[in-house]
Amino acid sequence: MVLKGPFVAAGLVAALLLGFGIARATAPAATPAASDPTTIPSHSHGGATLGDLGGFSLSAGGFTLAPAAPPTFEAGVQRPFAFRILGVDGKAVTKFIPTHDKLLHFIVVKHDLSGFQHLHPEMAADGTWSIPLTLPSPGIWRLYTDFVTPDPATGQQVPLALSIDATVAGAYTPLALAPAARTAEADGFTVTYEGTVKANATQPLTFRVFFGGSPVTDLEKYLAAYGHLVVIRDGDLGYLHVHPEDQLVGGAVKFWLSAPSPGRYRMFFEFQKGGAVHRAEFTVDVQ
Ligand SMILES: [Cu+2]
C-alpha cells in the first residue's frame, strides 16, 4: 500500500492501519479538536517544520526497512549497523527529505523502554545507511528509522517510522518501568511538565527546565527545535516523534499531542543547553 493524499490523510491512514493515532503536531489556537478524526491537525508546526509520524512495523506505505545483516549484537560491543530503505520497486530509496536538519533519525530503545539513543546514520550514494551502534546489555532492542521520503508516483511527502528488533544474547533482566511522575532529572537539570496527556484528544504539554532551582529560560535549538519528544507506548513499542511550537513559551517548550489509547507510555524529552543535549524521561499513565 502506498500512502496517498494530503499529509493529513496519509497520517490518518497510517494511524488507522498501525493502530497508533497520536496526532503529532503543534496545534495553533485555531486548530480544530483532534477528537474528530477528520480534523487531526496537520504537521505544519506553524509552518516551520515537519515532524515525524508514528509507526512500528518493518514495512509501511510500500516502503521496507532492510538490514544488511541480521541485527544481532554482542552486549557492549560496537559494530556498524547498515540498512537500506526499499521502495515499492524493491530498490533502495536514495531521496529523503530533511526533517529537523537530518535525512533520517534513528531511535533505539530496549523492550523494557530503557537505554534510549537518538542517532543519525550516514547514507552512501547507493542508499545504504550506516551507523556505529552499541547495545549495552542483553535483551531485545527496537531500532526505529524515522524519515520522510517522496512518494515516487505522486511526489508527495510520505513520513514513516519503520522499525526492526535487534537481539543481544545473554541473561535479560527487564527493568521495571518507573512509576508515572511529572519531574525527572537530566544531567543535573530538573525537568517538569504541565498538562495531561489524554486519549484521542489533543492537549498541550509544556516542559520546563530548572538548574539549581532556577528556571532555565534560554534553552538552545537542537536539530531546529527547542525540544524533541519521543513517546513510546508500553506493550507494543508504538512510536511517536513530536516537535514543539516554534518559539519558547515563557522559557518553556510547548507541545501538543493526543494519545491513541489509554495505557502506559514513556516520554523521552530532549533539549539542549550549554551546547550539549540532555534527556529527561517520564512515565505517563493515560486514562
Ligand atoms: Cu534525530
Side-chain angles (χ1 to χ4, degrees):
M1 189 213 81
V2 176
L3 293 176
K4 290 197 165 61
F7 192 82
V8 174
L12 182 56
V13 169
L16 293 171
L17 286 175
L18 300 173
F20 198 91
I22 289 181
R24 31 186 204 267
T26 60
T31 300
S35 52
D36 174 353
T38 62
T39 59
I40 287 176
S42 79
H43 227 161
S44 65
H45 292 239
T49 51
L50 274 177
D52 304 281
L53 191 70
F56 47 93
S57 58
L58 197 61
S59 289
F63 296 88
T64 298
L65 167 59
T72 52
F73 289 75
E74 273 184 74
V77 178
Q78 180 179 292
R79 75 162 178 84
F81 176 69
F83 61 91
R84 296 177 300 157
I85 303 298
L86 305 181
V88 278
D89 57 3
K91 293 180 178 155
V93 175
T94 55
K95 284 184 191 163
F96 293 85
I97 296 163
T99 53
H100 290 89
D101 292 350
K102 298 289 179 183
L103 291 177
L104 185 143
H105 300 262
F106 189 81
I107 303 289
V108 176
V109 75
K110 202 170 170 178
H111 272 217
D112 62 4
L113 299 177
S114 68
F116 182 95
Q117 300 180 47
H118 180 170
L119 307 171
H120 299 104
E122 298 287 332
M123 186 182 73
D126 70 352
T128 300
W129 292 90
S130 185
I131 181 81
L133 183 60
T134 304
L135 301 179
S137 60
I140 302 176
W141 294 75
R142 183 150 302 178
L143 316 178
Y144 300 91
T145 59
D146 181 337
F147 58 90
V148 177
T149 187
D151 181 320
T154 65
Q156 283 171 342
Q157 298 187 359
V158 183
L160 289 169
L162 306 180
S163 69
I164 189 167
D165 278 343
T167 55
V168 178
Y172 170 41
T173 306
L175 297 175
L177 201 56
R182 289 181 169 274
T183 300
E185 300 298 319
D187 306 327
F189 295 90
T190 301
V191 182
T192 67
Y193 78 91
E194 296 147 28
T196 300
V197 184
K198 292 185 178 168
N200 304 310
T202 302
Q203 297 292 322
L205 217 57
T206 303
F207 289 80
R208 292 180 198 283
V209 178
F210 298 84
F211 191 80
S214 301
V216 176
T217 55
D218 56 347
L219 293 175
E220 298 150 10
K221 281 203 169 178
Y222 162 56
L223 298 177
Y226 282 110
H228 296 259
L229 186 64
V230 169
V231 184
I232 297 180
R233 182 161 60 185
D234 188 26
D236 64 1
L237 305 180
Y239 168 94
L240 170 72
H241 190 163
V242 201
H243 294 110
E245 293 191 351
D246 288 345
Q247 302 301 324
L248 294 170
V249 180
V253 187
K254 187 172 186 180
F255 297 85
W256 293 83
L257 79 154
S258 166
S261 72
R264 178 167 276 202
Y265 298 79
R266 186 74 163 168
M267 298 197 299
F268 303 87
F269 170 67
E270 292 176 291
F271 62 96
Q272 182 175 311
K273 174 64 185 167
V277 178
H278 310 284
R279 183 181 71 252
E281 303 185 11
F282 304 84
T283 299
V284 186
D285 284 316
V286 176
Q287 305 299 318

